[in-house]
Amino acid sequence: PQQTFGSAQHVPAERSLEDYTAIIQGWVHDCIQTHTKCGLVELSKSDLPFRVLCIAGNSVVLVHAQDTIIDRYATLSHRWGQKHPVTTTEENIARWMEEIPWEELPKTFQDAICIARGLGLSFIWIDSLCIIQDNPQDWEKEARRMATIYSNSHLNIAATSSIDALGGCIFSRKLPSLPLHSGDRRQILLQGSENTSVFVRPSFRPTHARFTTPNYASGFSLDIRTFPLLTRAWVFQERFLAPRTLHFHSTEIVMECRSHLRCECTGVDKVSAKRFDLETTSDAHVLDQWMEVVEEYSKLAITKDSDRLPAILGVATRFQQRLRSRYIAGLWEVDLARQILWEV
């Protein structure tokens, strides 16, 4: 049967936090040890966000990163949705720097903090809490640092199936498009064999396709019911920049790093990640890749039109480090004649 159908690991409907962290630790360790593109980053003070959440022990405290010894930190990718999460404002920042009450944190934040703690991390960066949301100067300053914030994170935790901050990362598995629960299995005994059986479950291929096929080429329509996070423009650069993004999806967890993909069922293990290559290719190919970035990014949703350029600034910063060209509102001076063309 293995030669006929292939093989995969069973994905249970429920997993404990300890089970999750054991799986993730194995993936991250393998990534750091075997992928040359994904090694650990030595952080200097200039590499750190201005603020982070200290989650050591049982408390959650907003701290200035420059005043703290930080060797590693996690980040969170989440969808704000209609029900905005708790935020840091000029009014509450002093209280948050004493302690943020656990009960005021939405489930997505609580889950991400528990996952980070389980992985031995003492710090996490969450946009709504680490940026003063009613201070335009603070927001603009941190928006310009997104390339550094996500590129230097140890792990980006993504609440990929949650429509807002209340949805969480850890929940019972389900496949919304199929009648069977992802924990259901059907056992088929093979004729003439007493020891061999085949277990059948709903296919995870649609899930895998979202991580192996670029939107601009696949024609795969974004489904707000199953991949709500991946419809958001801000998340594009968070995935692009982070060395490792861990997706908590309703079918299974998937990790994409700068080299490969991993998933619980092992169906995409060792598949090359759909990362853009800015290091080992020609300038012409890098510019072609920028055009692909713009095409894919332009299809994603954003709440404020004024955020369209800031939300891709981190990606542009990485391209500028490679191209050494002037960046002009989404265009590169070195390729300006071609990039101002369009077709309808």
Side-chain angles (χ1 to χ4, degrees):
Q2 182 171 341
Q3 287 77 13
T4 304
F5 299 106
S7 62
Q9 294 294 315
H10 172 51
V11 179
E14 306 283 347
R15 279 199 193 277
S16 66
L17 176 63
E18 292 72 22
D19 288 340
Y20 278 122
T21 54
I23 293 170
I24 298 163
Q25 282 176 331
W27 289 352
V28 172
H29 180 268
D30 180 67
C31 173
I32 292 171
Q33 295 298 317
T34 63
H35 301 162
T36 57
K37 297 179 181 179
C38 308
L40 288 175
V41 176
E42 294 288 339
L43 296 178
S44 65
K45 290 293 186 182
S46 62
D47 295 327
L48 296 172
F50 187 67
R51 304 178 194 87
V52 292
L53 297 174
C54 178
I55 56 174
N58 295 318
S59 62
V60 179
V61 181
L62 184 65
V63 298
H64 289 121
Q66 303 296 322
D67 301 332
T68 310
I69 299 175
I70 299 175
D71 58 344
R72 299 178 303 166
Y73 64 90
T75 51
L76 174 65
S77 286
H78 67 104
R79 191 173 186 269
W80 285 45
Q82 297 300 314
K83 300 176 181 178
H84 282 191
V86 60
T87 62
T88 292
T89 64
E90 295 284 8
E91 184 275 329
N92 64 24
I93 186 170
R95 287 188 288 124
W96 282 183
M97 298 193 78
E98 294 179 0
E99 184 173 357
I100 303 175
W102 183 256
E103 61 274 10
E104 294 198 28
L105 297 172
K107 177 171 168 50
T108 296
F109 293 10
Q110 292 179 353
D111 285 353
I113 289 169
C114 289
I115 293 162
R117 284 172 173 166
L119 296 173
L121 301 176
S122 298
F123 302 93
I124 189 170
W125 188 90
I126 300 176
D127 56 356
S128 65
L129 290 173
C130 295
I131 300 174
I132 304 174
Q133 296 298 319
D134 59 352
N135 184 322
Q137 291 75 29
D138 192 69
W139 189 93
E140 291 173 8
K141 179 183 67 176
E142 292 301 278
R144 289 194 298 269
R145 291 176 51 81
M146 288 298 178
T148 299
I149 291 171
Y150 280 93
S151 295
N152 291 326
S153 69
H154 181 70
L155 180 71
N156 183 41
I157 300 167
T160 305
S161 283
S162 296
I163 62 172
D164 55 37
L166 302 178
C169 300
I170 300 173
F171 36 68
S172 297
R173 313 300 183 90
K174 60 183 179 180
L175 282 173
S177 59
L178 294 173
L180 290 177
H181 195 285
S182 65
D184 290 345
R185 297 188 295 177
R186 301 293 184 261
Q187 186 176 24
I188 303 172
L189 295 178
L190 299 181
Q191 187 174 5
S193 173
E194 297 180 358
N195 300 319
T196 305
S197 58
V198 177
F199 292 92
V200 181
R201 59 158 169 74
S203 172
F204 289 171
R205 187 170 296 175
T207 301
H208 298 162
R210 288 297 290 108
F211 300 104
T212 58
T213 309
N215 296 340
Y216 67 87
S218 69
F220 185 91
S221 62
L222 292 169
D223 188 345
I224 192 63
R225 294 179 299 113
T226 54
F227 299 96
L229 183 69
L230 303 189
T231 67
R232 307 304 300 174
W234 278 103
V235 176
F236 179 90
Q237 75 169 357
E238 295 165 10
R239 291 174 64 197
F240 179 95
L241 296 167
R244 288 165 289 275
T245 294
L246 186 70
H247 295 272
F248 283 83
H249 188 251
S250 57
T251 56
E252 61 176 345
I253 55 173
V254 176
M255 189 180 83
E256 54 180 350
C257 70
R258 290 172 177 158
S259 300
H260 292 99
L261 297 168
R262 298 294 296 269
C263 68
E264 287 179 81
C265 78
T266 70
V268 297
D269 281 13
K270 307 305 180 183
V271 173
S272 295
K274 56 170 190 176
R275 292 280 183 147
F276 295 96
D277 180 9
L278 305 185
E279 306 301 329
T280 63
T281 190
S282 66
D283 286 359
H285 188 223
V286 171
L287 290 166
D288 287 342
Q289 290 181 93
W290 176 256
M291 302 290 279
E292 295 171 0
V293 164
V294 170
E295 185 169 356
E296 183 171 353
Y297 174 75
S298 298
K299 297 176 182 178
L300 302 176
I302 199 162
T303 302
K304 299 179 181 178
D305 287 338
S306 59
D307 286 351
R308 180 64 70 176
L309 286 175
I312 202 173
L313 184 59
V315 178
T317 299
R318 285 289 171 260
F319 272 80
Q320 189 172 47
Q321 291 170 352
R322 170 63 175 80
L323 291 169
R324 305 294 181 184
S325 175
R326 184 183 175 197
Y327 179 65
I328 311 171
L331 308 173
W332 297 104
E333 186 175 39
V334 71
D335 195 34
L336 192 59
R338 179 175 67 137
Q339 293 189 9
I340 61 174
L341 298 174
W342 71 93
E343 62 180 356
V344 294

